[in-house]
Amino acid sequence: MAEELTVKQMGKDDIPVIVGLAEELHAEVEKEWPECPPFNPGLLEEQVFLCMHIRVLYAFGLFDGEDCVGCLVFTIYPCFGIGCMLGKEALWYVQPKYRSGGLALLKAFELFAAEKGAMQLEIGHFPMVNGDRMAKLYNDLGYKLHQLRYLKKA
């Protein structure tokens, strides 16, 4: 039987774990969206390190014992043109077997961002991966749809 899942803040030493989980997310997304840009683990590692170093990027991990089975990575920064602080999810992935525990990561993000002065929180998802289910969950948790974005190759 699995141990109780716990949430812990992650730091620069945990970047390889974050990159590994991001790679798992990318593989899931790629199944539903074959045109997805290729994943670059080295670039992600560098970006996460630099943003953690200047304290604009934070992460929480979901742990089953010593094993990290999910993470939520986010930024906190001033919302352009408005002035309030914004907590914005950049990566939220939990391995399928542990998804029922994933809301603990969201709660940790919400509390931490509020403690850092965030007045607004933003989360998102890939619509082609559990899109309807995630939209309903976010709505049930009090998040409101505020923007749609579209992507095309340059």
Side-chain angles (χ1 to χ4, degrees):
M1 183 168 124
E3 293 182 35
E4 185 176 323
L5 299 177
T6 57
V7 174
K8 301 175 190 170
Q9 189 168 0
M10 301 174 85
K12 290 186 252 184
D13 291 343
D14 300 304
I15 291 173
V17 174
I18 293 169
V19 171
L21 289 167
E23 203 157 11
E24 290 180 39
L25 170 63
H26 192 272
E28 258 186 58
V29 171
E30 211 170 37
K31 288 177 191 172
E32 301 298 327
W33 183 32
E35 346 26 81
C36 182
F39 183 69
N40 184 333
L43 178 60
L44 180 63
E45 185 173 336
E46 181 181 323
Q47 291 168 332
V48 170
F49 177 84
L50 290 173
C51 291
M52 279 185 166
H53 183 71
I54 62 170
R55 294 187 178 100
V56 296
L57 187 112
Y58 306 89
F60 283 101
L62 184 66
F63 290 83
D64 180 8
E66 295 297 313
D67 298 327
C68 187
V69 298
C71 67
L72 196 152
V73 179
F74 57 96
T75 57
I76 299 175
Y77 60 93
C79 190
F80 298 114
I82 297 172
C84 71
M85 295 300 282
L86 174 69
K88 184 174 184 177
E89 170 259 330
L91 164 70
W92 184 15
Y93 179 75
V94 177
Q95 294 171 340
K97 175 180 169 183
Y98 299 96
R99 295 227 166 120
S100 63
L103 285 181
L105 288 170
L106 183 64
K107 293 299 175 197
F109 156 63
E110 290 175 341
L111 288 171
F112 186 88
E115 288 171 6
K116 292 287 187 184
M119 301 295 290
Q120 295 182 338
L121 303 171
E122 182 178 313
I123 55 176
H125 66 277
F126 292 99
M128 68 288 291
V129 180
N130 299 318
D132 292 340
R133 190 172 62 88
M134 296 306 294
K136 181 182 179 333
L137 172 67
Y138 295 156
N139 203 341
D140 290 348
L141 293 171
Y143 289 85
K144 302 296 177 207
L145 181 64
H146 76 98
Q147 184 179 62
L148 295 173
R149 294 179 160 256
Y150 297 87
L151 182 66
K152 84 172 197 178
K153 287 188 177 188

